[in-house]
Amino acid sequence: MSIQLGCIADDYTGASDLANMLRRNGLRTVQTIGVPRPGLDLPEVDAVVVSLKSRSIEAARAVELSLEAEAWLRERGAEHVLFKVCSTFDSTDAGNIGPVTDALRARAGCGAVLVNPAFPETGRSVFQGNLFVNGVPLNESPLKDHPLNPMRDANLVRVLQRQSASGVGLVPYAVVEQGVAAVRAALADASARGEGSVIADAVAARHLDVLGEAALADPLSTGASGLGAGIARALVARGPQRTVSKSPADVGMSGQGSVAAGSRAAILAGSCSAATRRQIAVAEAAGIPIHRLDVSRLLEGGASLVVAEALAWAHARLDAGPVLIASSDTPDAVAAMQRSHGGAAAGHVVEQALADIAEALVAASVRRLVVAGGETSGAVVDRLGLEAFLIGREIAPGVPALRTAGAHHAGLAVALKSGNFGGDDFFAEALSMLNQTETD
Ligand code: ADP
C-alpha cells in the first residue's frame, strides 16, 4: 500500500472529522487508532489519518508519538504529512502545536511550515494572523474558558511563537488572494529569514484551495480539517494518474470484508445530549426495541447484573432486528447521579458497562454497531481493540459510516456519533447506511 497523504491528528474526534473531510473530497481514507503496529495490513487507500491523544499531554511525549506516526506514514509512501490540530488552535504556551511542528520539520528537513487552522465552513477564519470563531476573536469566544487549553490570545503568530524554538511569520490575506505562486514565494522568503513556520490567512474556502495546493510543494503542513480539505481537493485535481477519485461511489469500502445485509445490529447510547435523547425517542416510536440501563443500580455496584440483564434482553431480540440499549437520561437525572457518585466516576462506570455490552454483542455476531456519545465511543473502540477504520459515506454531517480494518474484528460496520450530531432519524439512517457499505 502506498499512500499520498499522511495525517497525524492530535485527538480522536478531530481525526474522524478530518478523515470524513478527506473522504468527502475524494480521497479513499483510513483512520487508525494510535500509531499502527508495524504489521497492520491496510487496503489500498490514498490517505491515512493516525489518531493520537496528544493535544493536552506533555509536549515531549506528544513529539515522540508524532514522530512515530510520521515514520509509519512516510514508510508507506506519504509525500506530504499534515499535522492536524484543532480549528480553534487548542494548545497552551507549553505546546503542543509548536514543539510537534518543529520536530516534524526537523525530521522532514524542510523550510518554513505553512500553518493554518481556518475552516470558514464552520465559522473559523484567520485574518492578519488572528483567529475568529463565528466572527468573534478567539480570546473573546467560549474557548477563552476551555478547561484544558484556555485560549486568551487570538493572534496565532504570537501564540505559536510562544511555543516554538524558531521564528513564526505571517502570510497575510493579500498574499493568499494572489494565489499559489505568491504563497510559495512568501514561504520561500520566510525560510530565507530563518522562520520555522508561518501562519497563513484564510477567510473563505477558496483560500484553503490555494493553501492546500501551496502546502503540497513541501513535505509538511499544520492545520485543521479545512486545510485537509484544501489538500485533498488539490490532490484530486492532479488528475487521473492519481489513484484518487472524485466520486464518493468510487471510493467505497467494497471488498474490505463484508457485512451481510440484514446482519445483527445494535445501537448503544451513552450520550445524554438533547439530540441523542430525541433520536432515541424517534427510534422507539418507529418500533426499535429499547432497553434502558438501570444506572442507579449500576453505580451502586450492580454493574455485572445490569450488564447481564441487558444482554439477556438483547439476545432474545437480536434475530428479529436491531436493538437499542441506552443509559441516556435527562440533565436533572444525570446531575443527581453525578451528585451522589461523582461526575467522572459515574461517567466511567456507565462507559465501561456499555463497553462490556458492546464486547458481548460483537461476540454474539452483531456486525452493525452504532454508538452515541464521544466518550462512550472511545470506551467501546478501546474495549474492542479496534485498530483502524475505513471511512465510508457520510450518514449525517461529520458522521461517516465506518468499516473496521486490522486484526481485531475486521469488517464490522460501525457509526460513532458524538452527542449533538445527527438529525432525529439518525439511528434508522445509520443502520440502513451500514447495511449498504458492502455495495458502495
Ligand atoms: P456526548 O458526546 O453527548 O458528550 P459522551 O459519551 O462523550 O456523550 O459523554 C456522556 C457521559 O455521560 C459518559 O461519560 C457517560 O458514561 C455518562 N452517562 C451516560 N448516561 C448517564 C447517566 N444516566 N447518568 C450519569 N452519567 C451518564
Side-chain angles (χ1 to χ4, degrees):
M1 182 194 69
S2 180
I3 57 176
Q4 297 174 54
L5 176 63
C7 304
I8 304 166
D10 68 355
D11 86 335
Y12 283 14
T13 45
S16 308
D17 179 23
L18 172 64
N20 185 51
M21 201 51 63
L22 298 178
R23 167 69 156 81
R24 203 207 272 179
N25 283 282
L27 297 186
R28 295 171 302 175
T29 304
V30 159
Q31 174 188 354
T32 69
I33 309 300
V35 180
R37 62 185 165 80
L40 178 64
D41 187 23
L42 291 176
E44 191 67 29
V45 287
D46 307 307
V48 175
V49 180
V50 175
S51 335
L52 302 179
K53 278 184 186 159
S54 58
R55 183 170 296 169
S56 308
I57 63 175
E58 198 201 332
R61 180 66 183 143
V63 164
E64 194 182 345
L65 287 170
S66 304
L67 287 174
E68 267 179 53
E70 194 256 9
W72 190 92
L73 291 164
R74 299 281 188 209
E75 264 170 36
R76 274 143 195 89
E79 292 166 21
H80 187 86
V81 168
L82 168 67
F83 172 39
K84 156 72 172 71
V85 299
C86 186
S87 64
T88 48
F89 219 70
D90 294 13
S91 54
T92 66
D93 289 352
N96 291 342
I97 300 176
V100 171
T101 300
D102 282 340
L104 293 173
R105 186 185 64 251
R107 172 73 70 77
C110 59
V113 179
L114 189 150
V115 180
N116 176 275
F119 201 179
E121 197 183 308
T122 57
R124 275 66 162 153
S125 52
V126 180
F127 182 68
Q128 302 300 348
N130 289 275
L131 178 58
F132 294 83
V133 179
N134 296 323
V136 174
L138 179 64
N139 59 310
E140 294 173 28
S141 77
L143 274 299
K144 72 181 190 306
D145 300 318
H146 190 285
L148 296 175
N149 312 296
M151 300 306 290
R152 303 261 159 79
D153 188 355
N155 186 306
L156 298 186
V157 177
R158 281 196 305 250
V159 172
L160 190 57
Q161 187 63 79
R162 288 195 287 270
Q163 305 176 15
S164 302
S166 45
V168 178
L170 172 68
V171 180
Y173 173 82
V175 173
V176 179
E177 270 287 295
Q178 287 170 45
V180 176
V183 172
R184 294 294 318 150
L187 280 166
D189 289 348
S191 301
R193 286 193 297 272
E195 290 167 358
S197 41
V198 294
I199 300 290
D201 281 354
V203 301
R206 69 175 189 282
H207 298 140
L208 296 174
D209 287 338
V210 169
L211 297 181
E213 181 68 46
L216 279 178
D218 288 321
L220 179 68
S221 60
T222 295
S225 299
L227 182 61
I231 290 173
R233 289 195 288 268
L235 279 171
V236 169
R238 291 186 172 186
Q241 74 278 13
R242 295 278 173 175
T243 54
V244 291
S245 162
K246 273 188 174 152
S247 157
D250 293 342
V251 291
M253 301 188 286
S254 52
Q256 305 308 326
S258 64
V259 177
S263 60
R264 287 181 156 192
I267 302 162
L268 301 179
S271 162
C272 300
S273 70
T276 300
R277 285 181 294 117
R278 264 198 318 277
Q279 289 157 351
I280 294 171
V282 168
E284 188 166 28
I288 294 184
I290 296 195
H291 178 80
R292 293 181 191 275
L293 295 180
D294 183 344
V295 173
S296 141
R297 192 144 59 99
L298 192 65
L299 295 176
E300 276 149 24
S304 52
L305 224 74
V306 170
V307 167
E309 263 171 29
L311 289 172
W313 174 89
H315 288 313
R317 289 166 180 80
L318 277 171
D319 282 335
V323 298
L324 197 166
I325 297 174
S327 68
S328 316
D329 215 331
T330 59
D332 285 351
V334 171
M337 289 298 158
Q338 291 180 334
R339 267 196 307 277
S340 47
H341 298 276
H348 181 74
V349 172
V350 176
E351 285 161 29
Q352 291 309 309
L354 286 165
D356 287 346
I357 292 169
E359 195 177 24
L361 290 178
V362 169
S365 302
V366 163
R367 290 292 168 269
R368 286 177 292 154
L369 187 64
V370 180
V371 187
E375 292 299 324
T376 309
S377 297
V380 168
V381 166
D382 286 348
R383 176 65 66 83
L384 293 177
L386 302 182
E387 292 187 291
F389 296 118
L390 288 152
I391 310 298
R393 289 184 180 165
E394 228 175 15
I395 301 164
V399 191
L402 305 171
R403 180 74 59 88
T404 55
H408 300 287
H409 306 302
L412 284 184
V414 179
L416 305 175
K417 180 194 89 81
S418 56
N420 283 314
F421 282 39
D424 288 357
D425 208 18
F426 177 83
F427 291 140
E429 285 162 2
L431 290 171
S432 143
M433 187 96 65
L434 295 183
N435 234 354
Q436 294 163 16
T437 51
E438 65 177 337
T439 53
D440 268 358

